[in-house]
Amino acid sequence: MRFGSVPTREAGGLIAAHTVRAHDVTLRKGRPIPAEDAARLDAAGLAELVAVSFEPGDVGEDAAAERLAIRLAGSGLRREPPFTGRCNLFAMEAGLLLIDRAGIDAVNAVDEAITVATLPAYRPVVAGEMVATVKIIPYAVAGAALERACRAAPDTSLRVAPYTRARVGVVSTRLPGLKEATIDKTLATLARRLAPTGAAIVADARVPHGAGAVGAAIRTLAGEGTDLVVVFGASAITDRRDVIPAGIEAAGGRIDHLGMPVDPGNLLLVGSLGDVPVIGAPGCARSPKENGFDWVLHRLLAGLAVTRADIVGLGVGGLLMEIVSRPQPRSGGTPADDDDG
């Protein structure tokens, strides 16, 4: 692509590099310059215009952006027609945005003229939400560079994993001093969390804070066809031998991981009973504000595995905002049991 000043009389048919308004003539940036407008400007004394011309093998900005967007877009995504060198991708359904980070980085490293920007990986999205944009910086890009960018991107580098688990069972344990109103509020908060995913609470078991009672409740909910079980303990989980993990094992399930490098959310547990995931919720999950519970909940609702490696990789970016429900602020205060998780 050639870019620079040309004699106005020779600018007809080239692309205007900038918008020009002069002598009752308007040239639009990125649009071809009509020969008659170039002649009028030349006759009025405007000697030069900054214009663009293509070289052999160049691909126009819109065509290039669309071609790369087609290469990147996987299931659950649609693209809109390109404009001004930009092609946007949108979610077609609610779910989690999955990204091949290495692939996107490789595309962006090919040539400064070619860029791809996305939402963060594993971001919950809804139908109609823009998740990525391909932008070609100049008015055209060398065809060879575009080919390299397309080769650098694995097939379907971007896709939406739709929510597949819709039936959620909840076990809440009781201790003296825990009000039923607190449990009611916790379930209402969870229901609002689930609403954008299409999931709903289909069973609510309230049991004493003991491993046997927890195990029996989990077995019952799993047997009733729930897709996911969430356990809210009256007391925070502090050890694999504590009540909630002991209850999961008593039900015949297993503990996959306890704890996560996300704050709030440190005291979260992930386990399962057969093919039904079980989350031991941290205390901060009672708050509507974002915390580590959200990150794990959405992955499981989308049918994604949550492994120990997944959890331990959440530390960078895992320091979230303070929430008012914390009994002990991070900035100091009187030592106390940190039940917020």
Side-chain angles (χ1 to χ4, degrees):
M1 187 188 81
R2 295 188 179 91
F3 180 102
S5 297
V6 298
T8 302
R9 63 180 178 276
E10 300 174 8
L14 303 182
I15 295 172
H18 307 288
T19 297
V20 175
R21 294 183 178 88
H23 308 291
D24 296 325
V25 173
T26 298
L27 304 180
R28 299 291 182 184
K29 174 184 176 182
R31 305 274 183 85
I33 300 171
E36 59 272 23
D37 288 344
R40 289 174 61 191
L41 291 171
D42 181 59
L46 185 61
E48 292 184 330
L49 288 172
V50 181
V52 171
S53 60
F54 288 4
E55 296 180 292
D58 283 349
V59 181
E61 56 179 348
D62 287 351
E66 184 172 40
R67 184 172 168 187
L68 182 53
I70 291 171
R71 172 68 175 171
L72 295 173
S75 59
L77 295 177
R78 64 173 176 85
R79 70 182 186 281
E80 289 200 340
F83 62 98
T84 63
R86 185 182 300 280
C87 192
N88 296 327
L89 298 176
F90 294 82
M92 296 174 62
E93 56 193 333
L96 283 193
L97 178 62
L98 303 186
I99 301 174
D100 185 323
R101 171 64 184 267
I104 299 300
D105 287 347
V107 171
N108 283 323
V110 167
D111 191 289
E112 65 183 18
I114 300 170
T115 69
V116 181
T118 77
L119 294 179
Y122 296 105
R123 169 71 66 86
V125 297
V126 297
E129 184 174 357
M130 189 170 82
V131 303
T133 183
V134 177
K135 172 63 177 173
I136 304 301
I137 302 299
Y139 298 107
V141 65
L146 180 60
E147 286 290 343
R148 291 198 305 274
C150 289
R151 288 197 304 268
D155 287 331
T156 62
S157 297
L158 304 168
R159 67 183 179 90
V160 172
Y163 294 116
T164 57
R165 291 189 170 108
R167 296 171 53 82
V168 177
V170 180
V171 178
S172 302
T173 71
R174 295 185 176 110
L175 282 174
L178 178 65
K179 299 178 180 178
E180 290 296 308
T182 298
I183 298 177
D184 293 339
K185 184 178 178 180
T186 298
L187 267 66
T189 297
L190 178 60
R192 288 192 293 271
R193 270 195 167 92
L194 296 174
T197 74
I201 298 170
V202 297
D204 164 22
R206 306 185 185 192
V207 301
H209 189 70
V214 169
I218 292 173
R219 278 196 305 271
T220 297
L221 295 184
E224 291 175 349
T226 56
D227 301 316
L228 171 69
V229 175
V230 181
V231 183
F232 288 96
S235 180
I237 306 168
T238 58
D239 189 90
R240 277 177 171 262
R241 293 159 293 188
D242 214 335
V243 168
I244 305 305
I248 294 172
E249 292 180 335
R254 72 172 190 270
I255 308 305
D256 295 320
H257 192 77
L258 171 60
M260 65 188 305
V262 180
D263 189 9
N266 292 138
L267 305 184
L268 180 140
L269 177 147
V270 176
S272 63
L273 176 58
D275 59 358
V276 178
V278 180
I279 303 176
C284 61
R286 298 183 188 275
S287 165
K289 293 191 176 182
E290 182 184 16
N291 57 76
F293 174 70
D294 293 283
W295 295 8
V296 170
L297 175 68
H298 280 270
R299 293 194 192 197
L300 292 175
L301 290 174
L304 302 177
V306 178
T307 66
R308 180 179 187 278
D310 294 324
I311 292 175
V312 300
L314 297 175
V316 176
L319 180 59
L320 304 179
M321 293 179 64
E322 183 67 87
I323 60 173
V324 296
S325 64
R326 290 181 68 95
Q328 180 184 358
R330 296 187 188 90
S331 58
T334 304
D337 288 336
D338 188 356
D339 264 7
D340 75 305

